[in-house]
PDB file of all heavy atoms in Angstrom:
ATOM      1  N   ARG H  34      22.406  40.351 -36.998  1.00 95.00           N
ATOM      2  CA  ARG H  34      23.021  39.094 -37.420  1.00 95.00           C
ATOM      3  C   ARG H  34      22.222  38.465 -38.532  1.00 95.00           C
ATOM      4  O   ARG H  34      22.764  37.972 -39.536  1.00 95.00           O
ATOM      5  CB  ARG H  34      23.092  38.160 -36.188  1.00 95.00           C
ATOM      6  CG  ARG H  34      23.637  36.847 -36.440  1.00 95.00           C
ATOM      7  CD  ARG H  34      25.139  36.913 -36.496  1.00 95.00           C
ATOM      8  NE  ARG H  34      25.678  35.649 -36.935  1.00 95.00           N
ATOM      9  CZ  ARG H  34      26.765  35.510 -37.631  1.00 95.00           C
ATOM     10  NH1 ARG H  34      27.427  36.574 -37.979  1.00 95.00           N
ATOM     11  NH2 ARG H  34      27.160  34.329 -38.026  1.00 95.00           N
ATOM     12  N   VAL H  35      20.910  38.485 -38.441  1.00 97.00           N
ATOM     13  CA  VAL H  35      20.023  37.951 -39.461  1.00 97.00           C
ATOM     14  C   VAL H  35      20.234  38.706 -40.769  1.00 97.00           C
ATOM     15  O   VAL H  35      20.394  38.130 -41.843  1.00 97.00           O
ATOM     16  CB  VAL H  35      18.537  37.981 -39.054  1.00 97.00           C
ATOM     17  CG1 VAL H  35      17.640  37.500 -40.187  1.00 97.00           C
ATOM     18  CG2 VAL H  35      18.313  37.102 -37.806  1.00 97.00           C
ATOM     19  N   GLY H  36      20.263  40.067 -40.653  1.00 97.00           N
ATOM     20  CA  GLY H  36      20.504  40.877 -41.847  1.00 97.00           C
ATOM     21  C   GLY H  36      21.797  40.561 -42.554  1.00 97.00           C
ATOM     22  O   GLY H  36      21.851  40.444 -43.753  1.00 97.00           O
ATOM     23  N   ASP H  37      22.864  40.348 -41.750  1.00 97.00           N
ATOM     24  CA  ASP H  37      24.172  40.029 -42.350  1.00 97.00           C
ATOM     25  C   ASP H  37      24.084  38.699 -43.115  1.00 97.00           C
ATOM     26  O   ASP H  37      24.635  38.536 -44.193  1.00 97.00           O
ATOM     27  CB  ASP H  37      25.220  39.869 -41.243  1.00 97.00           C
ATOM     28  CG  ASP H  37      25.627  41.220 -40.655  1.00 97.00           C
ATOM     29  OD1 ASP H  37      25.256  42.261 -41.269  1.00 97.00           O
ATOM     30  OD2 ASP H  37      26.308  41.230 -39.629  1.00 97.00           O
ATOM     31  N   LEU H  38      23.405  37.732 -42.493  1.00 97.00           N
ATOM     32  CA  LEU H  38      23.330  36.400 -43.150  1.00 97.00           C
ATOM     33  C   LEU H  38      22.441  36.405 -44.417  1.00 97.00           C
ATOM     34  O   LEU H  38      22.788  35.709 -45.358  1.00 97.00           O
ATOM     35  CB  LEU H  38      22.781  35.401 -42.123  1.00 97.00           C
ATOM     36  CG  LEU H  38      23.831  34.999 -41.040  1.00 97.00           C
ATOM     37  CD1 LEU H  38      23.196  34.261 -39.874  1.00 97.00           C
ATOM     38  CD2 LEU H  38      24.937  34.124 -41.657  1.00 97.00           C
ATOM     39  N   VAL H  39      21.391  37.188 -44.399  1.00 98.00           N
ATOM     40  CA  VAL H  39      20.583  37.332 -45.642  1.00 98.00           C
ATOM     41  C   VAL H  39      21.458  37.938 -46.741  1.00 98.00           C
ATOM     42  O   VAL H  39      21.504  37.463 -47.884  1.00 98.00           O
ATOM     43  CB  VAL H  39      19.315  38.195 -45.358  1.00 98.00           C
ATOM     44  CG1 VAL H  39      18.621  38.552 -46.676  1.00 98.00           C
ATOM     45  CG2 VAL H  39      18.335  37.436 -44.430  1.00 98.00           C
ATOM     46  N   ALA H  40      22.193  38.987 -46.419  1.00 98.00           N
ATOM     47  CA  ALA H  40      23.051  39.614 -47.414  1.00 98.00           C
ATOM     48  C   ALA H  40      24.160  38.669 -47.900  1.00 98.00           C
ATOM     49  O   ALA H  40      24.443  38.582 -49.071  1.00 98.00           O
ATOM     50  CB  ALA H  40      23.676  40.907 -46.807  1.00 98.00           C
ATOM     51  N   HIS H  41      24.667  37.886 -46.974  1.00 97.00           N
ATOM     52  CA  HIS H  41      25.711  36.936 -47.315  1.00 97.00           C
ATOM     53  C   HIS H  41      25.187  35.843 -48.219  1.00 97.00           C
ATOM     54  O   HIS H  41      25.833  35.434 -49.192  1.00 97.00           O
ATOM     55  CB  HIS H  41      26.326  36.360 -46.049  1.00 97.00           C
ATOM     56  CG  HIS H  41      27.560  35.530 -46.328  1.00 97.00           C
ATOM     57  ND1 HIS H  41      28.712  36.038 -46.836  1.00 97.00           N
ATOM     58  CD2 HIS H  41      27.763  34.185 -46.166  1.00 97.00           C
ATOM     59  CE1 HIS H  41      29.599  35.074 -47.001  1.00 97.00           C
ATOM     60  NE2 HIS H  41      29.038  33.942 -46.589  1.00 97.00           N
ATOM     61  N   ALA H  42      23.988  35.339 -47.908  1.00 98.00           N
ATOM     62  CA  ALA H  42      23.344  34.309 -48.703  1.00 98.00           C
ATOM     63  C   ALA H  42      23.118  34.779 -50.112  1.00 98.00           C
ATOM     64  O   ALA H  42      23.371  34.082 -51.112  1.00 98.00           O
ATOM     65  CB  ALA H  42      22.002  33.848 -48.103  1.00 98.00           C
ATOM     66  N   HIS H  43      22.717  36.040 -50.248  1.00 98.00           N
ATOM     67  CA  HIS H  43      22.472  36.622 -51.581  1.00 98.00           C
ATOM     68  C   HIS H  43      23.780  36.694 -52.374  1.00 98.00           C
ATOM     69  O   HIS H  43      23.839  36.233 -53.517  1.00 98.00           O
ATOM     70  CB  HIS H  43      21.837  37.996 -51.463  1.00 98.00           C
ATOM     71  CG  HIS H  43      21.523  38.626 -52.750  1.00 98.00           C
ATOM     72  ND1 HIS H  43      22.430  39.418 -53.465  1.00 98.00           N
ATOM     73  CD2 HIS H  43      20.416  38.543 -53.531  1.00 98.00           C
ATOM     74  CE1 HIS H  43      21.923  39.790 -54.613  1.00 98.00           C
ATOM     75  NE2 HIS H  43      20.686  39.296 -54.640  1.00 98.00           N
ATOM     76  N   GLU H  44      24.775  37.152 -51.741  1.00 98.00           N
ATOM     77  CA  GLU H  44      26.108  37.250 -52.408  1.00 98.00           C
ATOM     78  C   GLU H  44      26.654  35.866 -52.802  1.00 98.00           C
ATOM     79  O   GLU H  44      27.206  35.704 -53.880  1.00 98.00           O
ATOM     80  CB  GLU H  44      27.062  37.945 -51.403  1.00 98.00           C
ATOM     81  CG  GLU H  44      28.380  38.343 -51.933  1.00 98.00           C
ATOM     82  CD  GLU H  44      29.267  38.832 -50.777  1.00 98.00           C
ATOM     83  OE1 GLU H  44      28.749  39.488 -49.835  1.00 98.00           O
ATOM     84  OE2 GLU H  44      30.440  38.480 -50.821  1.00 98.00           O
ATOM     85  N   ARG H  45      26.450  34.945 -51.912  1.00 97.00           N
ATOM     86  CA  ARG H  45      26.993  33.604 -52.076  1.00 97.00           C
ATOM     87  C   ARG H  45      26.420  32.906 -53.316  1.00 97.00           C
ATOM     88  O   ARG H  45      27.129  32.112 -53.996  1.00 97.00           O
ATOM     89  CB  ARG H  45      26.676  32.815 -50.831  1.00 97.00           C
ATOM     90  CG  ARG H  45      27.404  31.514 -50.645  1.00 97.00           C
ATOM     91  CD  ARG H  45      27.057  30.936 -49.289  1.00 97.00           C
ATOM     92  NE  ARG H  45      27.118  29.521 -49.292  1.00 97.00           N
ATOM     93  CZ  ARG H  45      28.036  28.813 -48.606  1.00 97.00           C
ATOM     94  NH1 ARG H  45      28.880  29.393 -47.804  1.00 97.00           N
ATOM     95  NH2 ARG H  45      28.046  27.482 -48.694  1.00 97.00           N
ATOM     96  N   TYR H  46      25.139  33.133 -53.667  1.00 98.00           N
ATOM     97  CA  TYR H  46      24.506  32.375 -54.727  1.00 98.00           C
ATOM     98  C   TYR H  46      24.172  33.223 -55.956  1.00 98.00           C
ATOM     99  O   TYR H  46      23.588  32.707 -56.909  1.00 98.00           O
ATOM    100  CB  TYR H  46      23.268  31.658 -54.193  1.00 98.00           C
ATOM    101  CG  TYR H  46      23.604  30.701 -53.102  1.00 98.00           C
ATOM    102  CD1 TYR H  46      23.279  30.932 -51.771  1.00 98.00           C
ATOM    103  CD2 TYR H  46      24.392  29.578 -53.389  1.00 98.00           C
ATOM    104  CE1 TYR H  46      23.638  30.078 -50.772  1.00 98.00           C
ATOM    105  CE2 TYR H  46      24.764  28.705 -52.410  1.00 98.00           C
ATOM    106  CZ  TYR H  46      24.403  28.961 -51.088  1.00 98.00           C
ATOM    107  OH  TYR H  46      24.811  28.082 -50.078  1.00 98.00           O
ATOM    108  N   ALA H  47      24.493  34.529 -55.911  1.00 97.00           N
ATOM    109  CA  ALA H  47      24.110  35.415 -57.031  1.00 97.00           C
ATOM    110  C   ALA H  47      24.719  34.979 -58.349  1.00 97.00           C
ATOM    111  O   ALA H  47      24.190  35.271 -59.433  1.00 97.00           O
ATOM    112  CB  ALA H  47      24.492  36.840 -56.695  1.00 97.00           C
ATOM    113  N   SER H  48      25.850  34.306 -58.336  1.00 96.00           N
ATOM    114  CA  SER H  48      26.505  33.947 -59.595  1.00 96.00           C
ATOM    115  C   SER H  48      26.142  32.516 -60.090  1.00 96.00           C
ATOM    116  O   SER H  48      26.594  32.109 -61.141  1.00 96.00           O
ATOM    117  CB  SER H  48      28.008  34.091 -59.469  1.00 96.00           C
ATOM    118  OG  SER H  48      28.450  33.226 -58.457  1.00 96.00           O
ATOM    119  N   VAL H  49      25.280  31.771 -59.331  1.00 97.00           N
ATOM    120  CA  VAL H  49      24.909  30.470 -59.782  1.00 97.00           C
ATOM    121  C   VAL H  49      23.998  30.634 -60.980  1.00 97.00           C
ATOM    122  O   VAL H  49      23.017  31.391 -60.954  1.00 97.00           O
ATOM    123  CB  VAL H  49      24.107  29.725 -58.641  1.00 97.00           C
ATOM    124  CG1 VAL H  49      23.442  28.455 -59.145  1.00 97.00           C
ATOM    125  CG2 VAL H  49      24.988  29.460 -57.443  1.00 97.00           C
ATOM    126  N   ASP H  50      24.338  29.973 -62.086  1.00 95.00           N
ATOM    127  CA  ASP H  50      23.476  30.126 -63.247  1.00 95.00           C
ATOM    128  C   ASP H  50      22.968  28.777 -63.821  1.00 95.00           C
ATOM    129  O   ASP H  50      22.681  28.653 -64.998  1.00 95.00           O
ATOM    130  CB  ASP H  50      24.115  30.989 -64.361  1.00 95.00           C
ATOM    131  CG  ASP H  50      25.414  30.375 -64.842  1.00 95.00           C
ATOM    132  OD1 ASP H  50      25.739  29.250 -64.418  1.00 95.00           O
ATOM    133  OD2 ASP H  50      26.096  31.003 -65.687  1.00 95.00           O
ATOM    134  N   ASP H  51      22.771  27.819 -62.905  1.00 96.00           N
ATOM    135  CA  ASP H  51      22.136  26.559 -63.289  1.00 96.00           C
ATOM    136  C   ASP H  51      20.650  26.786 -63.477  1.00 96.00           C
ATOM    137  O   ASP H  51      20.069  27.692 -62.843  1.00 96.00           O
ATOM    138  CB  ASP H  51      22.313  25.504 -62.204  1.00 96.00           C
ATOM    139  CG  ASP H  51      23.764  25.178 -61.950  1.00 96.00           C
ATOM    140  OD1 ASP H  51      24.584  25.449 -62.837  1.00 96.00           O
ATOM    141  OD2 ASP H  51      24.080  24.710 -60.819  1.00 96.00           O
ATOM    142  N   GLY H  52      20.008  25.966 -64.250  1.00 97.00           N
ATOM    143  CA  GLY H  52      18.551  26.013 -64.395  1.00 97.00           C
ATOM    144  C   GLY H  52      18.119  26.870 -65.596  1.00 97.00           C
ATOM    145  O   GLY H  52      18.951  27.601 -66.187  1.00 97.00           O
ATOM    146  N   THR H  53      16.837  26.824 -65.901  1.00 97.00           N
ATOM    147  CA  THR H  53      16.298  27.556 -67.051  1.00 97.00           C
ATOM    148  C   THR H  53      15.042  28.300 -66.655  1.00 97.00           C
ATOM    149  O   THR H  53      14.290  27.857 -65.779  1.00 97.00           O
ATOM    150  CB  THR H  53      15.972  26.631 -68.211  1.00 97.00           C
ATOM    151  OG1 THR H  53      15.224  25.541 -67.736  1.00 97.00           O
ATOM    152  CG2 THR H  53      17.224  26.083 -68.933  1.00 97.00           C
ATOM    153  N   VAL H  54      14.798  29.407 -67.326  1.00 97.00           N
ATOM    154  CA  VAL H  54      13.588  30.224 -67.078  1.00 97.00           C
ATOM    155  C   VAL H  54      12.381  29.520 -67.702  1.00 97.00           C
ATOM    156  O   VAL H  54      12.501  29.059 -68.855  1.00 97.00           O
ATOM    157  CB  VAL H  54      13.786  31.635 -67.674  1.00 97.00           C
ATOM    158  CG1 VAL H  54      12.522  32.481 -67.537  1.00 97.00           C
ATOM    159  CG2 VAL H  54      15.005  32.352 -67.042  1.00 97.00           C
ATOM    160  N   ALA H  55      11.285  29.463 -67.029  1.00 96.00           N
ATOM    161  CA  ALA H  55      10.048  28.803 -67.568  1.00 96.00           C
ATOM    162  C   ALA H  55       9.609  29.510 -68.828  1.00 96.00           C
ATOM    163  O   ALA H  55       9.624  30.731 -68.924  1.00 96.00           O
ATOM    164  CB  ALA H  55       8.944  28.821 -66.505  1.00 96.00           C
ATOM    165  N   ASP H  56       9.165  28.711 -69.837  1.00 94.00           N
ATOM    166  CA  ASP H  56       8.644  29.350 -71.076  1.00 94.00           C
ATOM    167  C   ASP H  56       7.329  28.706 -71.515  1.00 94.00           C
ATOM    168  O   ASP H  56       6.781  29.127 -72.541  1.00 94.00           O
ATOM    169  CB  ASP H  56       9.663  29.324 -72.186  1.00 94.00           C
ATOM    170  CG  ASP H  56      10.102  27.949 -72.527  1.00 94.00           C
ATOM    171  OD1 ASP H  56       9.544  26.983 -71.968  1.00 94.00           O
ATOM    172  OD2 ASP H  56      11.008  27.792 -73.392  1.00 94.00           O
ATOM    173  N   TYR H  57       6.773  27.783 -70.770  1.00 92.00           N
ATOM    174  CA  TYR H  57       5.501  27.184 -71.219  1.00 92.00           C
ATOM    175  C   TYR H  57       4.335  28.139 -71.043  1.00 92.00           C
ATOM    176  O   TYR H  57       3.294  28.010 -71.645  1.00 92.00           O
ATOM    177  CB  TYR H  57       5.254  25.821 -70.526  1.00 92.00           C
ATOM    178  CG  TYR H  57       4.755  25.929 -69.095  1.00 92.00           C
ATOM    179  CD1 TYR H  57       3.393  25.799 -68.805  1.00 92.00           C
ATOM    180  CD2 TYR H  57       5.621  26.159 -68.028  1.00 92.00           C
ATOM    181  CE1 TYR H  57       2.946  25.888 -67.513  1.00 92.00           C
ATOM    182  CE2 TYR H  57       5.208  26.280 -66.743  1.00 92.00           C
ATOM    183  CZ  TYR H  57       3.836  26.128 -66.469  1.00 92.00           C
ATOM    184  OH  TYR H  57       3.381  26.220 -65.209  1.00 92.00           O
ATOM    185  N   ILE H  58       4.531  29.170 -70.184  1.00 93.00           N
ATOM    186  CA  ILE H  58       3.646  30.332 -70.169  1.00 93.00           C
ATOM    187  C   ILE H  58       4.478  31.417 -70.866  1.00 93.00           C
ATOM    188  O   ILE H  58       5.470  31.872 -70.311  1.00 93.00           O
ATOM    189  CB  ILE H  58       3.290  30.759 -68.754  1.00 93.00           C
ATOM    190  CG1 ILE H  58       2.536  29.578 -68.057  1.00 93.00           C
ATOM    191  CG2 ILE H  58       2.407  32.008 -68.744  1.00 93.00           C
ATOM    192  CD1 ILE H  58       2.322  29.779 -66.560  1.00 93.00           C
ATOM    193  N   PRO H  59       4.135  31.842 -72.125  1.00 95.00           N
ATOM    194  CA  PRO H  59       5.038  32.612 -72.946  1.00 95.00           C
ATOM    195  C   PRO H  59       5.623  33.825 -72.254  1.00 95.00           C
ATOM    196  O   PRO H  59       6.855  34.076 -72.331  1.00 95.00           O
ATOM    197  CB  PRO H  59       4.166  33.006 -74.148  1.00 95.00           C
ATOM    198  CG  PRO H  59       3.179  31.867 -74.239  1.00 95.00           C
ATOM    199  CD  PRO H  59       2.890  31.437 -72.878  1.00 95.00           C
ATOM    200  N   VAL H  60       4.838  34.621 -71.494  1.00 96.00           N
ATOM    201  CA  VAL H  60       5.334  35.827 -70.942  1.00 96.00           C
ATOM    202  C   VAL H  60       6.424  35.584 -69.894  1.00 96.00           C
ATOM    203  O   VAL H  60       7.338  36.451 -69.697  1.00 96.00           O
ATOM    204  CB  VAL H  60       4.203  36.693 -70.375  1.00 96.00           C
ATOM    205  CG1 VAL H  60       3.654  36.103 -69.090  1.00 96.00           C
ATOM    206  CG2 VAL H  60       4.636  38.163 -70.157  1.00 96.00           C
ATOM    207  N   LEU H  61       6.454  34.443 -69.272  1.00 96.00           N
ATOM    208  CA  LEU H  61       7.462  34.164 -68.218  1.00 96.00           C
ATOM    209  C   LEU H  61       8.877  34.105 -68.819  1.00 96.00           C
ATOM    210  O   LEU H  61       9.839  34.388 -68.152  1.00 96.00           O
ATOM    211  CB  LEU H  61       7.155  32.823 -67.475  1.00 96.00           C
ATOM    212  CG  LEU H  61       5.902  32.805 -66.652  1.00 96.00           C
ATOM    213  CD1 LEU H  61       5.811  31.513 -65.844  1.00 96.00           C
ATOM    214  CD2 LEU H  61       5.802  33.984 -65.700  1.00 96.00           C
TER     215      LEU H  61
END
Side-chain angles (χ1 to χ4, degrees):
R34 179 78 189 147
V35 176
D37 287 349
L38 285 165
V39 169
H41 188 65
H43 182 270
E44 189 188 322
R45 194 174 150 115
Y46 299 110
S48 58
V49 171
D50 61 4
D51 300 338
T53 48
V54 177
D56 59 5
Y57 77 99
I58 300 170
V60 73
L61 296 186

